[in-house]
Amino acid sequence: MALLDVCEVSDWLKDDGSSAEGASVDKVNHFSFAAHGREFAVPPGVDPAEFLRPFCSSADGVEGVKINLDHGTTTLAFKFQHGVMVAVDSRASAGSYISGQLCNKVIEINPYLLGTMSGGAADCMYWERMLAKECRIFRLRNKERISVAAASKLLGNMVAGYRGMGLSMGTMICGWDNKGPGLYYVDETGTRMSGNMFSTGSGNSYAYGVMDSGYRYDLTVPEAYDLAQRAVFHATCRDAYSGGAVNMYHMKQDGWIKVSQGDVAELFYRFAKEKN
Amino acid sequence: MSYDRAITVFSPDGHLFQVEYAQEAVKKGSTSVGVRGKGIVVLGVEKKSVAKLQDERTVRKICALDDNVFMAFAGLTADARIVINRARVECQSHRLTVEDPVTVEYITRYISSIKQRYTQSNGRRPFGISSLIVGFDFDGTPRLYQTDPSGTYHAWKANAIGRSAKIVREFLEKNYKEEDMESDTEAIKLVIRALLEVVQSGSKNIELAVMKHSEPLKILDQEEIEKYVLDIEKEKEEAEKQKKKT
């Protein structure tokens, strides 16, 4: 509209859709998969990424206040001949304070899709529930379940719009679709990778050590359960930010099952007995 | 009072006149026929004779939307161009986000929703085209859909749009046989026979495109169409002879 142009208002109206009425006919609609604009209103003139940068980048932050956006947890997932194993710890930490020992770090999106969470608990829970909503809408619109590739792409696209604004989320999307078992790692920068084995969180290096030394594609199901559980357990032993219990899921062709929830203390004594 | 000025307005007896007028515009367009076989999908269009100095190749009524979907339209060519452009972008956008090619139903639904949006906003008129969208889903199922200016779409085994669509559709209803559709040549011949009913001067005015699963779109050239037309005429003669005998 001419008046809007004269007042040079177009810069800060941007993509909130309240500008020219003609735009509504061509506006982004439900076919443009979640690549839409901001979920949250940002006041004009404020750039969240710029605001956050000094707190994260320099050694002391701003006047001694530094925000550490680490992923304090251990989660892992690997593909093998009988599907996908998913194992996570259950400790929630706020700095050096343990705020919970039995939090649920796996979101059950649908009977064929799981998402793990590491990083900021709120970010993970919120965005993965948004993903669950999008997956459900996809199923209703297209009369078939969403593929693992598409689901992970949706999540990656959703958070990529908030890059630099302080989201903290490292997740693995695991599922079984008509291309077979699927495993994708997605994080808050929008990174999205497909692979056979991933581990995220502060305890991931310990978990990788155990997984890498015991992993074969042709593991049997009990061997895979043992490997996944052991990897997370050893990570909880060494990493201060991981602990509580080991939650394990097995993604099969006809859906996932929750294998076990093993308290880390019990696992410690069980493995110690085996050594003797 | 006339209820066809601002298209967002219904008439007292429930008509959207602009949409119905758009359908009239479609009826003026050249005929397009589509047939869905078992392993093949075929689209044939009536080619209007071009002026002497006009380059024939610039008039293409059959357009690919992606590797596995193509369409023909009847009605206003300029409107069709816009719809086709949007559909092509959506096909790629779908490939980017979902990492899979579109299903024919999905892109048909997308095109229909564009058309519907233009019937429900002021200052814009509906698109004056109907389209036949054919292709294969990635599991190998052949599909044929028809859309119209109101934004509705339906799946068909065989259909025609444009001028004389009614005559062609009746011909198809009489002559479409499920068993015949197992053969690719029979499907192609059915489209040609349907077009020959209404086209003026035979094979010169027919443009034909076929697609088989996982194969690219193939636009038949004049000689191939001629061959099919000759076959059809031979079959017709033999059918006449049979009739005369009995």
Side-chain angles (χ1 to χ4, degrees), chain A residues 203-255:
Chain A
N204 71 353
S205 21
Y206 310 113
Y208 272 128
V210 175
M211 263 205 298
D212 282 331
S213 54
Y215 176 77
R216 286 179 340 263
Y217 185 78
D218 54 359
L219 289 168
T220 64
V221 171
E223 284 175 345
Y225 287 1
D226 185 67
L227 181 65
Q229 199 173 44
R230 235 174 247 271
V232 176
F233 164 73
H234 285 293
T236 62
C237 282
R238 290 287 175 185
D239 178 32
Y241 301 102
S242 305
V246 179
N247 285 323
M248 248 200 324
Y249 289 75
H250 179 190
M251 177 67 66
K252 300 201 269 205
Q253 185 161 16
D254 51 359

Side-chain angles (χ1 to χ4, degrees), chain A residues 27-94:
Chain A
K27 200 166 65 166
V28 140
N29 55 31
H30 63 252
F31 286 100
S32 62
F33 292 97
H36 45 62
R38 306 288 185 264
E39 286 282 315
F40 305 107
V42 175
V46 173
D47 183 353
E50 271 305 313
F51 172 79
L52 184 67
R53 197 169 302 138
F55 290 96
C56 292
S57 54
S58 46
D60 299 315
V62 173
E63 291 171 13
V65 177
K66 183 155 160 52
I67 298 180
N68 288 322
L69 296 169
D70 304 322
H71 301 180
T73 192
T74 309
T75 69
L76 63 84
F78 60 83
K79 280 194 222 174
F80 69 117
Q81 63 175 337
H82 294 297
V84 190
M85 283 309 304
V86 179
V88 301
D89 78 310
S90 64
R91 174 172 291 182
S93 51

